[in-house]
């Protein structure tokens, strides 16, 4: 330190600092900051963060339903199958349906017609297995699998289904567990398609002929409930059953009552009643079914050939006895009601 004196004052001046020292201090500070920042960045892009980025999922946007009527929304579903991805079809709405019918009422033929539609999967008679209909819980478990598109059968189509369902015979738990099933249908928005025959006498002939075929197997030892050629149909049609006239009226009434009860049990669900004879004689009925399921209209086809297509009087051994019993009853019309396929 240097001191300068004069007569007025004493002045003290600090020594000058070297510029090199200041530069070194700034450089050291910058290096410390840089190392700190780099350490933070390395931690952020470490394995944990990488895994997090890889596992990050982008949630799908809500599917556009602006073109649908408000009442339709309950019946439009967007399943997320566990067994495959619907991918680009994820926003294609799917309708749920069930064909409720009785054996030998044309349900097999009707189902093949529906399955000829490119956007429909009807998975057959899935409740034929007793364990699937043992109780409501077993039924619901099976229904959930079908409607989630996780049920696979020969009729299953790709992920772009517009309607998925199956056929369900009334003697396969439908009437016994109707309360639970109806509640499920209403909650899930399932379309019920009732398919019956008007002429229950013709149905009875078909039932007896099918039973005979199971035991005798006239087609080269093979039982066939449905045929795809006129030759096979003629062979099976040769059998003419003899009806038990003592129980005929009670049996017809029993079948009639089952159909009436089924419609009553499911009247609060969205449903349609279709008769086999109407589909045979008027194919516009198939258009009504497609409209009911909100499907794009297609010409539906089936390879199945009708077996009993001749006059009813030629298909019953004891036709005169049957006519005598039915004449004057509410079932008399069955003797004259006929159609051509």
């Amino acid at each position: 330190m240097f001191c300068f004196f004069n007569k007025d004052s004493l002045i003290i001046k600090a020594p000058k600092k070297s510029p090199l020292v200041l530069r070194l201090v700034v450089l050291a500070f910058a290096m410390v900051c840089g190392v700190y920042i780099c350490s933070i960045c390395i931690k952020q892009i470490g394995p944990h963060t990488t895994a997090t980025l890889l596992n990050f999922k982008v949630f799908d946007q809500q599917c556009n339903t602006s073109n649908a009527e408000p009442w339709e929304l309950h019946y439009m579903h967007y399943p997320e199958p566990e067994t495959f991805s619907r991918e680009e079809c994820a926003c294609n709405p799917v309708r749920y349906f069930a064909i409720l019918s009785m054996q030998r009422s044309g349900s097999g033929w009707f189902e093949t017609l529906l399955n000829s539609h490119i956007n429909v999967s009807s998975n057959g008679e899935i409740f034929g297995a007793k364990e699937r209909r043992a109780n409501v819980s077993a039924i619901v478990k099976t229904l959930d699998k079908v409607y989630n598109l996780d049920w696979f059968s020969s009729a299953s189509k790709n992920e772009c289904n517009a309607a998925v369902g199956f056929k369900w015979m009334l003697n396969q738990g439908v009437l016994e567990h109707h309360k639970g099933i109806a509640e499920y249908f209403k909650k899930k928005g399932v379309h019920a398609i009732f398919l019956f025959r008007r002429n229950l006498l013709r149905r009875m002939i078909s039932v007896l002929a099918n039973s005979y075929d199971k035991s005798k197997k006239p087609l080269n030892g093979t039982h066939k409930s449905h045929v795809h050629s006129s030759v096979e149909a003629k062979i099976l049609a040769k059998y003419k059953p003899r009806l038990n006239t003592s129980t005929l009226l009670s049996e017809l009434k029993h079948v009639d009552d089952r159909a009436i009860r089924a419609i009553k049990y499911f009247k609060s669900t969205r449903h349609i009643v279709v008769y086999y004879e109407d589909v045979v004689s008027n194919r516009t009925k198939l258009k009504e079914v497609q409209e009911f399921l909100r499907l794009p209209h297609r010409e539906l086809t089936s390879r199945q050939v009708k077996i009993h297509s001749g006059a009813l009087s030629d298909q019953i051994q004891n036709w005169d006895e049957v006519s005598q019993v039915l004449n004057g009853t509410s079932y008399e019309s069955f003797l004259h009601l006929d159609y051509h396929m």
Side-chain angles (χ1 to χ4, degrees):
M1 181 180 293
F2 299 93
C3 298
F4 298 91
F5 297 93
N6 60 27
K7 62 179 182 180
D8 297 318
S9 63
L10 174 66
I11 299 176
I12 301 175
K13 289 188 178 180
K16 293 184 180 179
K17 290 184 179 180
S18 171
L20 180 60
V21 176
L22 293 175
R23 291 174 183 173
L24 290 174
V25 172
V26 173
L27 179 61
F29 180 76
M31 289 177 64
V32 172
C33 291
V35 170
Y36 177 75
I37 293 172
C38 288
S39 66
I40 293 176
C41 292
I42 291 172
K43 288 181 180 179
Q44 289 182 343
I45 62 173
H48 175 75
T49 304
T50 303
T52 303
L53 291 173
L54 290 175
N55 292 328
F56 180 73
K57 293 183 179 180
V58 178
F59 292 98
D60 294 332
Q61 295 181 352
Q62 290 293 326
C63 298
N64 183 14
T65 59
S66 59
N67 294 328
E69 296 290 335
W71 68 267
E72 283 188 273
L73 298 179
H74 180 60
Y75 302 98
M76 297 168 61
H77 309 282
Y78 302 91
E80 297 180 2
E82 296 180 1
T83 49
F84 68 93
S85 172
R86 296 188 72 210
E87 298 179 346
E88 71 275 8
C89 298
C91 278
N92 285 12
V94 179
R95 265 78 175 184
Y96 302 158
F97 70 87
I99 304 167
L100 304 176
S101 187
M102 289 182 275
Q103 284 82 359
R104 314 311 297 177
S105 296
S107 61
W109 173 64
F110 182 79
E111 188 176 39
T112 60
L113 288 168
L114 278 186
N115 271 326
S116 70
H117 196 294
I118 193 173
N119 301 120
V120 177
S121 286
S122 191
N123 293 282
E125 212 167 304
I126 65 175
F127 283 107
K130 291 184 179 180
E131 63 272 13
R132 295 175 190 157
R133 51 183 164 94
N135 49 54
V136 174
S137 296
I139 290 172
V140 168
K141 182 179 179 181
T142 303
L143 292 175
D144 283 345
K145 190 172 182 179
V146 172
Y147 294 137
N148 201 48
L149 305 183
D150 285 318
W151 188 277
F152 293 99
S153 69
S154 59
S156 300
K157 297 199 174 65
N158 59 28
E159 59 271 12
C160 289
N161 275 332
V164 62
F166 60 98
K167 66 175 181 173
W168 202 346
M169 301 297 103
L170 296 188
N171 64 346
Q172 294 174 346
V174 176
L175 300 182
E176 292 81 357
H177 304 292
H178 65 88
K179 288 185 179 179
I181 297 169
E183 287 177 7
Y184 182 95
F185 279 16
K186 286 187 287 185
K187 180 180 178 181
K188 296 289 187 177
V190 178
H191 298 66
I193 303 173
F194 290 99
L195 178 69
F196 299 128
R197 290 187 82 148
R198 281 200 173 92
N199 195 329
L200 301 181
L201 186 60
R202 277 192 172 274
R203 176 187 174 274
M204 183 177 290
I205 294 170
S206 183
V207 169
L208 293 172
N210 188 58
S211 179
Y212 172 82
D213 182 64
K214 283 182 179 179
S215 60
K216 301 300 181 180
K217 299 180 176 63
L219 290 176
N220 298 322
T222 303
H223 167 59
K224 289 189 176 183
S225 295
H226 309 100
V227 297
H228 297 136
S229 75
S230 56
V231 174
E232 292 176 325
K234 287 179 181 179
I235 293 174
L236 295 183
K238 288 180 180 179
Y239 172 70
K240 297 180 181 181
R242 183 179 184 84
L243 305 188
N244 185 342
T245 53
S246 63
T247 60
L248 181 57
L249 287 175
S250 61
E251 289 177 4
L252 291 175
K253 187 177 187 307
H254 174 70
V255 175
D256 203 11
D257 287 345
R258 287 176 71 85
I260 293 172
R261 276 195 294 146
I263 296 174
K264 178 183 177 182
Y265 291 155
F266 291 88
K267 65 181 181 180
S268 62
T269 68
R270 179 166 168 75
H271 68 275
I272 184 175
V273 180
V274 181
Y275 289 97
Y276 170 75
E277 289 84 352
D278 293 342
V279 179
V280 170
S281 60
N282 184 2
R283 287 303 180 89
T284 59
K285 287 296 177 181
L286 292 176
K287 186 176 180 181
E288 290 179 19
V289 173
Q290 292 180 73
E291 291 174 351
F292 174 68
L293 293 175
R294 292 297 187 268
L295 295 170
H297 181 254
R298 297 285 186 274
E299 289 299 323
L300 306 182
T301 59
S302 173
R303 293 177 54 239
Q304 286 191 16
V305 176
K306 184 173 175 56
I307 297 173
H308 299 95
S309 56
L312 192 57
S313 57
D314 295 333
Q315 298 175 38
I316 302 175
Q317 283 189 36
N318 54 335
W319 170 254
D320 292 338
E321 295 177 21
V322 170
S323 298
Q324 187 176 358
V325 169
L326 295 185
N327 276 324
T329 70
S330 57
Y331 303 114
E332 181 179 358
S333 61
F334 296 165
L335 299 171
H336 316 293
L337 187 64
D338 218 335
Y339 60 91
H340 300 282
M341 187 170 183

